Amino acid sequence: MTSSVALYRKYGVSAPRLNCFPPARDWSQRGFKEGNTPKISLAEHDYALYVHLPFCESRCGFCACNISVARDERYFGEYERALLQEFENKLDAWALGQGRLTQLVIGGGTPTLYAPDALASLSKHFTTKVNAASEVEQWIEIEPRVTTAAHFEVLGAAGFRHGIFGIETYEDKVQTTIKKKVSQHLMNEQLRHAKANGFETLLANILIGLPHQTATGLQDTLDVLLQQEMNAIALYPYMHVPWVRPEKRDFDEGDILSEEAKADLFASASEFLLRQGFVDLGQGSFYHQDHPFVTLFAENKLKRNYMGLGPKAAERVVGLGVSAISVLGDTLGQAPKELGRYLQWAAKPEIPFARWTKPNAKQNAIAKLIRQIWEEGTFHLEPIAWSPSEKEILTRGMASLRQDGLLESQDTQHRITPLGRQFMHQIVSLFYFPTLNIIQE
């Protein structure tokens, strides 16, 4: 057993990622009383925009995202009108025009179910209605089975340079089980079109721990991705949540990999990618050493928000669409999760969120600490007034991290080691569990 395998088994692969803090599961505010509606202004702030397009042709057996099955394009138009109305409401209420838009991310669902011109039109609408950076960093999630050459041509011309390809696996039996078959030939064609139209980031999402997944099958998948010259690979743990997504009940419990088996696969995949010239930028994101993000990461110039990493990933995020999350400094909120409710809600400018929270000063300080760990790999504990029980948990946890070579400490300065990068979300989760009592105060 290698040390990496032992560490993945010890720390696990399913720790909360804390892409925003406190996490949405702890947001207790629902509804608004007189005087408690949050005051939000992005004037003089950089911000990112996340646009959620929820429609899919069918439900995949692995997915826990908020999606809606819709083949009738009339739904697309109704939803797009609601998106634009929500944007107009927030444009004025949140002073978006007085801030600066630096990043645009379109996710889903299946964004590329929309026609290429419709996607480009949305991008243009959002980037021209506000004060935008000279070059907005634009990302889009790509479903290979429905994306066409025209998508890449139009999106490339609209300024999209970063594509997230939902491949998940090339292992045949696993593809059948999760009801998503993406052929290698199809991906070869898609990548050819993406490169020809200016896409710089070719990021493959790969799930670890899928039903029937094998070490050999995962290795074969990674081998193919390297042959296809994918320059970024994101490894995500498969989360089996049949109580949230009923379609996941199609799997027999015996088909689900144990946490130990999942940890072994994570370790082998991580070690392989590192040997092949990829650099771990944290949270399972591996970028090839020639990708510009790697240089930015080494210079502490790569930013991260709840959508991921990028040179212009602003801390504040405006979410648009059903279930979309907004992170707005001292206020965090989420739109309704049900499509019907969202369509009604989007027309009501006086109701900013379906649920929300206003973190206290300590929670904001912890959020800042976590962001510093992601972006710089260093942190200090002293600015935060930890309770005695919290100090005990942190002292014990950090001693374990140091013993395993994941953390180095000198006086009050703590630094994540290169090995520790592989365990970033496990490390930051240390700062969540001590604060469960804070959230209840």
Side-chain angles (χ1 to χ4, degrees):
M1 180 185 294
T2 67
S3 60
S4 180
V5 172
L7 290 171
Y8 273 109
R9 287 190 176 187
K10 177 178 179 179
Y11 292 101
V13 297
S14 302
R17 290 177 175 256
L18 300 184
N19 293 325
C20 55
F21 189 90
R25 71 186 73 172
D26 296 320
W27 300 355
S28 58
Q29 297 277 9
R30 286 175 171 79
F32 300 90
K33 300 176 183 178
E34 185 175 354
N36 83 333
T37 301
K39 304 298 182 183
I40 297 166
S41 174
L42 291 177
E44 301 183 6
H45 288 291
D46 286 353
Y47 63 92
L49 190 64
Y50 172 71
V51 182
H52 188 68
L53 302 181
F55 300 112
C56 291
E57 286 189 323
S58 61
R59 291 185 181 273
C60 297
F62 65 88
C63 184
C65 296
N66 190 318
I67 69 107
S68 296
V69 176
R71 296 185 180 89
D72 190 333
E73 292 191 4
R74 287 178 297 179
Y75 290 110
F76 294 11
E78 182 181 9
Y79 184 80
E80 184 178 342
R81 288 190 292 275
L83 270 181
L84 296 177
Q85 181 61 61
E86 182 189 0
F87 176 71
E88 290 297 325
N89 294 340
K90 291 179 175 177
L91 181 64
D92 295 332
W94 294 0
L96 300 187
Q98 299 174 44
R100 187 176 70 141
L101 175 65
T102 61
Q103 184 189 49
L104 170 65
V105 178
I106 300 181
T110 306
T112 48
L113 269 182
Y114 276 75
D117 289 341
L119 293 170
S121 177
L122 280 175
S123 168
K124 182 178 180 180
H125 183 85
F126 296 137
T127 56
T128 57
K129 292 276 286 188
V130 299
N131 175 32
S134 56
E135 291 186 9
V136 175
E137 179 188 315
Q138 296 192 76
W139 294 74
I140 188 165
E141 293 182 1
I142 294 169
E143 161 56 90
R145 296 172 299 174
V146 302
T147 306
T148 66
H151 278 99
F152 292 107
E153 181 178 352
V154 173
L155 291 171
F160 284 85
R161 295 292 177 262
H162 309 280
I164 306 169
F165 294 82
I167 296 174
E168 327 313 341
T169 179
Y170 282 133
E171 195 168 355
D172 187 64
K173 184 176 182 180
V174 181
Q175 287 186 334
T176 301
T177 303
I178 66 174
K179 304 174 185 176
K180 181 174 182 179
K181 283 185 171 289
V182 177
S183 73
Q184 297 174 30
H185 173 74
L186 173 62
M187 276 308 307
N188 289 335
E189 288 297 300
Q190 298 237 323
L191 294 172
R192 181 171 64 84
H193 293 307
K195 293 174 185 177
N197 288 284
F199 277 72
E200 300 167 0
T201 300
L202 308 173
L203 172 63
N205 277 350
I206 299 299
L207 283 169
I208 305 291
L210 289 166
H212 303 298
Q213 192 172 40
T214 65
T216 300
L218 176 58
Q219 182 61 59
D220 290 345
T221 293
L222 296 176
D223 286 338
V224 172
L225 294 177
L226 297 191
Q227 293 169 12
Q228 293 173 327
E229 298 183 342
M230 281 284 185
N231 60 7
I233 297 172
L235 304 178
Y236 290 100
Y238 166 70
M239 307 300 291
H240 188 60
V241 287
W243 56 91
V244 177
R245 294 287 178 259
E247 61 272 17
K248 295 188 177 187
R249 297 193 182 101
D250 291 349
F251 312 146
D252 294 331
E253 290 301 316
D255 299 332
I256 308 302
L257 272 63
S258 67
E259 286 299 306
E260 187 174 87
K262 197 186 297 185
D264 292 352
L265 290 179
F266 241 98
S268 64
S270 300
E271 291 179 347
F272 172 75
L273 291 174
L274 292 172
R275 291 195 303 270
Q276 300 303 314
F278 283 75
V279 177
D280 189 343
L281 303 188
Q283 294 198 323
S285 297
F286 292 81
Y287 279 69
H288 193 270
Q289 58 193 7
D290 295 333
H291 195 289
F293 284 12
V294 173
T295 300
L296 293 172
F297 181 76
E299 298 173 348
N300 292 334
K301 294 179 180 178
L302 195 63
K303 305 301 181 182
R304 183 182 286 275
N305 53 31
Y306 83 75
M307 299 177 295
L309 48 78
K312 298 182 180 180
E315 178 181 358
R316 287 169 170 78
V317 179
V318 175
L320 296 178
V322 61
S323 77
I325 287 175
S326 294
V327 177
L328 305 162
D330 62 354
T331 303
L332 297 85
Q334 185 174 28
K337 293 183 176 182
E338 301 81 14
L339 181 59
R341 282 189 61 208
Y342 167 76
L343 294 174
Q344 297 175 352
W345 169 89
K348 300 178 180 179
E350 71 278 8
I351 303 178
F353 305 114
R355 65 170 178 163
W356 60 288
T357 191
K358 196 173 184 65
N360 58 36
K362 188 170 184 177
Q363 290 169 331
N364 280 329
I366 295 172
K368 182 178 179 180
L369 182 150
I370 290 173
R371 186 174 173 85
Q372 184 179 358
I373 292 176
W374 283 339
E375 295 181 353
E376 301 176 19
T378 63
F379 64 96
H380 294 266
L381 293 178
E382 283 60 36
I384 300 175
W386 307 101
S387 70
S389 61
E390 292 164 354
K391 286 182 179 178
E392 181 182 352
I393 293 172
L394 289 170
T395 298
R396 188 169 60 248
M398 290 170 60
S400 177
L401 295 173
R402 282 192 292 268
Q403 182 179 3
D404 291 328
L406 309 183
L407 181 71
E408 294 177 348
S409 300
Q410 185 173 5
D411 297 327
T412 61
Q413 175 81 12
H414 308 283
R415 184 181 72 85
I416 310 301
T417 66
L419 177 61
R421 290 178 190 168
Q422 297 181 45
F423 300 90
M424 291 286 268
H425 71 276
Q426 291 93 333
I427 292 172
V428 299
S429 71
L430 184 65
F431 299 95
Y432 172 51
F433 298 110
T435 59
L436 288 175
N437 62 316
I438 297 173
I439 294 169
Q440 296 168 1
E441 290 180 358

